[in-house]
């Protein structure tokens, strides 16, 4: 098919998968890593694939960071017990070939794939799996302070120093290829949670040799261990090299599954959308992620392939209630009423991006069609500020530089517009720009003097808890939000069986969160990738589960 045709892919979650395309040759998600894409004998990968990213990873120990660019790399190198279907969001076999739950959902037995080795030659067995779970469970308090991106607490609620509050109980070696994970209470989304990149299994030998729990190095403004610069997993690609210009992975010859066509992946950072676009047009890269509205039309006119993902993230304006006067509900409501979401979306997001009035995307059960939204009302915002006794106190507004994220395409421009809107109703805003690779995430997710900040959340599996649990399931320094009743309701909903009652519980939680305005959800953004003519199909996934063995190149 002629390359002048634009190709667009939209993948939806649901009982059935709907794949909508503008052309019949649109690429569809490739098979899961556990399956082969062809009945013929496997061919040795030989291709080099250069992929443009918006920034370098913040670290390659997925247990320690929730950064999407870090996960993009670690998804290639490490694997979990179970995977996620890129199209449907359903749980699929990965390092475990089968599993079953027992004891009323308190025990899960996994049968491991046989004859699998980590890249350093260490065998994958039940002891290796338990070594990882026990590492996460016993993360010391000091390490947890250094690494605010740890996902274990958001999912399992607590660590070994507070076992009564933790959902995780223990991991038991049943046999070499059989492992049992026990919980203290039921958790409906447990299997789906295990699909998070944070729970990928690392070589216990490498973890020990590289002192993975000792964060004595600094990378992109964050404290990291030596392991975070050289991960060792069971995935189709192994770590090769990393410098300021690129990060390189190489095909793992001992991989148990389909190795695809690509032998070498180079992740090359371009912190501006325009430079990513030009690199693609110049043939320096074969694809790049995070096409922005400002470059979208230009790419279409040049006949570049564009693939869009269905929205599965939320962009928000964070509010820190630990800083005065933001502890006052009227002030937070004034902030929400001052923000013109329609203008922001029209100017800075790809077409068909939807406004957000809550933090759970529309396609998930638990989305509340009637969640309270104050709407854009600058005059009412002024009245609320006067009622709250706001006297023009300075509010520090943090925003990232040199960053593009699926949920936030042009943060500097978004900041400028939101700041203008807030000033227009009477807020005294002090801009605090922080380079993304200079520790932005660390600064906005830790205690500090910021009042407002820009951030977002990428969903990783199709459950409302994946959004509400990490953001509002407990007190977090990012928001200073401490509603114990909401915390309890989120905890209760996690244990409820799928169905109408659980759905209603999450809808009620969404309404309560929206009413208290701990942050202002702005948009459920659509993100897009641009592909060169070299690419026949790319496994675009709303949950970003895009393993490069499933990239198909033209002959």
């Amino acid at each position: 098919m002629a390359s002048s045709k634009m190709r667009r892919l939209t993948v939806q979650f649901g009982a059935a998968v709907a794949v909508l395309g503008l052309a019949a040759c649109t690429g569809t998600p490739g098979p899961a890593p556990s399956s082969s894409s062809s009945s013929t004998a496997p061919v040795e990968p030989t291709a080099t694939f250069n992929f443009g990213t918006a920034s370098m990873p913040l670290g390659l120990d997925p247990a320690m960071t929730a950064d999407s660019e870090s996960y993009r790399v670690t998804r290639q190198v490490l694997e979990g017990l179970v995977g996620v279907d890129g199209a449907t969001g359903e749980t699929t076999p990965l390092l475990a070939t089968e599993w079953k739950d027992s004891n009323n959902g308190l025990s899960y037995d996994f049968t491991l794939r046989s004859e699998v080795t980590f890249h350093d030659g260490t065998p994958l067995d039940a002891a290796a799996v338990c070594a990882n779970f026990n590492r996460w469970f016993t993360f010391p308090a000091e390490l947890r302070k250094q690494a605010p991106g740890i996902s274990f607490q958001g999912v399992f609620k607590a660590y070994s120093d507070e076992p009564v509050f933790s959902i995780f109980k223990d991991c038991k070696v049943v046999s070499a290829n059989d492992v049992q994970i026990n919980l203290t209470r039921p958790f409906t989304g447990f299997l789906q949670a295990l699909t998070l990149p944070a729970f990928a299994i690392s070589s216990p030998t490498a973890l020990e040799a590289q002192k993975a729990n000792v964060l004595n190095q600094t990378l992109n403004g964050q404290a990291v261990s030596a392991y975070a610069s050289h991960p060792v997993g069971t995935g189709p690609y192994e770590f090769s090299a990393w410098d300021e210009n690129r990060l390189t992975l190489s095909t793992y010859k001992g991989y148990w599954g389909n190795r695809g066509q690509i032998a070498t992946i180079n992740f090359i950072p371009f912190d501006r959308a325009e430079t990513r676009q030009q690199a693609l047009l110049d043939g320096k890269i074969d694809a790049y992620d995070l096409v922005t509205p400002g470059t979208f039309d230009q790419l279409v006119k040049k006949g570049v392939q564009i693939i869009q993902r269905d929205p599965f993230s939320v962009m928000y304006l964070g509010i820190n209630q630990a800083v005065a006067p933001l502890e006052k509900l009227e002030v937070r409501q004034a902030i929400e009423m001052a923000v013109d979401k329609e203008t922001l979306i029209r100017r800075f997001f790809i077409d068909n991006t939807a406004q957000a009035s809550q933090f759970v995307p529309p396609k998930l059960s638990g989305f509340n069609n009637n969640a309270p939204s104050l709407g854009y009302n600058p005059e009412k915002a002024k009245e609320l500020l006067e009622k709250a006794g706001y006297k023009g106190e300075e509010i520090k507004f943090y925003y990232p530089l040199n960053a593009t994220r699926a949920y936030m395409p042009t943060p500097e421009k978004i900041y400028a517009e939101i700041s203008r809107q807030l000033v227009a109703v009477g807020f005294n805003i002090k801009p605090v720009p922080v380079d993304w690779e200079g520790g932005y995430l660390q600064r906005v997710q830790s205690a500090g003097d910021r009042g407002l900040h820009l951030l977002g959340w990428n969903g990783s599996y199709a459950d409302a808890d994946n959004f509400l649990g990490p953001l509002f399931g407990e007190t977090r320094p990012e928001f200073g939000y401490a509603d114990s009743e909401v915390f309890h309701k989120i905890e209760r909903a996690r244990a409820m069986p799928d169905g109408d009652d659980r759905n209603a519980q999450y809808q009620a939680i969404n309404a309560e969160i929206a009413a208290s305005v701990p942050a202002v959800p702005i948009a459920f953004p659509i993100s897009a990738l641009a592909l060169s003519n070299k690419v026949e199909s790319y496994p675009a996934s709303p949950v970003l589960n895009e393993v490069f063995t499933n990239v198909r190149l033209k002959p």
Side-chain angles (χ1 to χ4, degrees):
M1 181 171 179
S3 62
S4 61
K5 296 287 183 72
M6 180 182 75
R7 298 191 278 186
R8 183 173 298 185
L9 173 69
T10 303
V11 185
Q12 298 182 332
F13 289 126
V17 182
V19 181
L20 307 177
L22 295 184
C25 63
T26 297
T28 57
S34 59
S35 63
S36 173
S37 62
S38 172
S39 60
T40 60
V43 177
E44 185 72 15
T46 57
T48 295
F49 195 74
N50 296 321
F51 190 90
T53 64
S55 66
M56 278 294 190
L58 297 180
L60 297 179
D61 181 352
M64 295 284 186
T65 180
D67 171 52
S68 58
E69 291 298 351
S70 301
Y71 282 170
R72 188 194 304 279
V73 176
T74 61
R75 285 184 190 276
Q76 320 301 322
V77 176
L78 299 107
E79 300 170 308
L81 291 176
V82 292
V84 59
D85 186 285
T88 67
E90 294 297 316
T91 304
T92 60
L94 205 54
L95 292 181
T97 56
E98 57 185 6
W99 53 86
K100 63 179 180 179
D101 68 278
S102 58
N103 192 21
N104 295 317
L106 296 180
S107 295
Y108 287 80
D109 293 281
F110 297 89
T111 300
L112 301 181
R113 198 174 294 277
S114 60
E115 299 182 4
V116 173
T117 60
F118 293 95
H119 303 152
D120 60 1
T122 301
L124 170 78
D125 56 20
V129 171
C130 284
N132 279 263
F133 274 89
N134 291 335
R135 176 201 177 207
W136 305 327
F137 185 46
T138 60
F139 276 151
E142 187 58 35
L143 179 144
R144 278 134 52 184
K145 291 179 183 177
Q146 290 179 281
I150 294 175
S151 294
F152 186 89
Q153 183 165 351
V155 172
F156 293 103
K157 309 310 293 180
Y159 298 89
S160 59
D161 53 1
E162 294 183 311
V164 68
F165 299 114
S166 181
I167 290 175
F168 178 80
K169 181 180 181 181
D170 59 36
C171 180
K172 291 185 176 180
V173 174
V174 178
S175 69
N177 285 337
D178 295 282
V179 62
Q180 182 180 83
I181 298 173
N182 297 301
L183 308 180
T184 61
R185 51 193 182 274
F187 174 24
T188 302
F190 173 67
L191 284 172
Q192 290 178 306
L194 289 188
T195 68
L196 286 169
F199 302 123
I201 305 299
S202 293
S203 162
T205 305
L207 290 173
E208 182 176 358
Q210 298 183 70
K211 298 180 179 179
N213 285 5
V214 179
L215 309 189
N216 58 358
Q217 302 181 19
T218 300
L219 180 66
N220 296 328
Q222 295 206 151
V224 298
S225 68
Y227 182 76
S229 297
H230 192 154
V232 180
T234 60
Y237 296 96
E238 57 184 319
F239 179 87
S240 181
W242 187 2
D243 60 31
E244 62 182 7
N245 297 315
R246 66 182 57 201
L247 192 157
T248 302
L249 305 179
S250 302
T251 183
Y252 175 43
K253 294 183 179 180
Y255 184 54
W256 57 267
N258 168 37
R259 292 170 59 206
Q261 297 173 270
I262 298 170
T264 302
I265 310 171
N266 292 310
F267 294 100
I268 305 173
F270 301 89
D271 58 17
R272 297 286 176 182
E274 294 78 11
T275 55
R276 292 196 294 277
Q277 174 189 0
Q278 196 58 49
L280 182 75
L281 296 176
D282 292 344
K284 295 178 180 178
I285 56 176
D286 302 303
Y288 76 84
D289 200 0
L290 307 180
V291 174
T292 59
T295 59
F296 192 100
D297 289 343
Q298 298 174 42
L299 290 168
V300 172
K301 290 176 181 177
K302 293 180 181 294
V304 174
Q305 303 178 64
I306 296 178
I307 292 181
Q308 293 186 213
R309 301 184 186 93
D310 217 30
F312 203 63
S313 64
V314 59
M315 181 254 167
Y316 58 79
L317 171 62
I319 302 175
N320 182 7
Q321 294 183 37
V323 171
L326 301 176
E327 79 282 3
K328 298 179 179 179
L329 177 60
E330 293 91 349
V331 175
R332 300 196 303 276
Q333 289 175 329
I335 291 171
E336 180 178 354
M337 289 183 173
V339 176
D340 182 357
K341 299 177 185 179
E342 181 180 350
T343 293
L344 290 167
I345 290 171
R346 185 177 68 251
R347 292 184 181 179
F348 307 123
F349 292 86
I350 291 175
D351 288 350
N352 298 319
T353 290
Q355 286 191 40
S357 61
Q358 57 195 289
F359 293 86
V360 173
K363 293 187 181 299
L364 290 186
S365 61
F367 177 81
N368 188 341
N369 287 313
N370 300 310
S373 176
L374 300 176
Y376 175 53
N377 191 335
E379 293 306 315
K380 180 65 174 178
K382 293 176 184 178
E383 293 176 11
L384 284 172
L385 285 183
E386 184 176 354
K387 179 181 177 182
Y390 178 67
K391 302 299 183 183
E393 297 94 330
E394 181 180 86
I395 298 176
K396 293 183 178 180
F397 190 159
Y398 282 55
Y399 64 97
L401 299 176
N402 303 319
T404 305
R405 287 296 178 269
Y407 52 75
M408 189 165 53
T410 53
E412 294 98 334
K413 293 179 180 179
I414 293 171
Y415 160 78
E417 178 59 24
I418 293 178
S419 178
R420 184 195 67 77
Q421 294 172 4
L422 293 173
V423 169
V425 302
F427 282 103
N428 179 11
I429 299 297
K430 180 180 180 179
V432 183
V434 179
D435 194 281
W436 181 267
E437 295 184 10
Y440 181 78
L441 272 181
Q442 176 84 22
R443 295 182 68 175
V444 302
Q445 292 180 336
S446 303
D449 63 352
R450 81 192 168 281
L452 304 172
H453 64 279
L454 293 180
L455 205 59
W457 181 260
N458 284 312
S460 296
Y461 59 92
D463 190 275
D465 184 68
N466 183 221
F467 286 82
L468 297 183
L471 292 174
F472 305 111
E474 60 189 356
T475 299
R476 299 180 69 228
E478 181 179 354
F479 304 117
Y481 175 70
D483 190 327
S484 58
E485 185 176 339
V486 168
F487 298 165
H488 175 73
K489 289 181 178 179
I490 291 176
E491 179 73 7
R492 179 173 177 268
R494 305 171 103 231
M496 295 174 69
D498 282 326
D500 292 342
D501 289 345
R502 189 171 191 257
N503 187 36
Q505 178 80 343
Y506 275 120
Q507 288 178 342
I509 292 168
N510 272 324
E512 286 193 45
I513 291 172
S516 64
V517 199
V520 179
I522 304 291
F524 296 119
I526 291 174
S527 63
L529 306 102
L531 310 175
S532 74
N533 292 332
K534 174 180 178 178
V535 181
E536 184 173 280
S537 66
Y538 180 93
S541 163
V543 296
L544 306 182
N545 183 37
E546 298 165 358
V547 180
F548 281 53
T549 51
N550 293 326
V551 173
R552 297 290 171 256
L553 305 178
K554 293 179 181 178

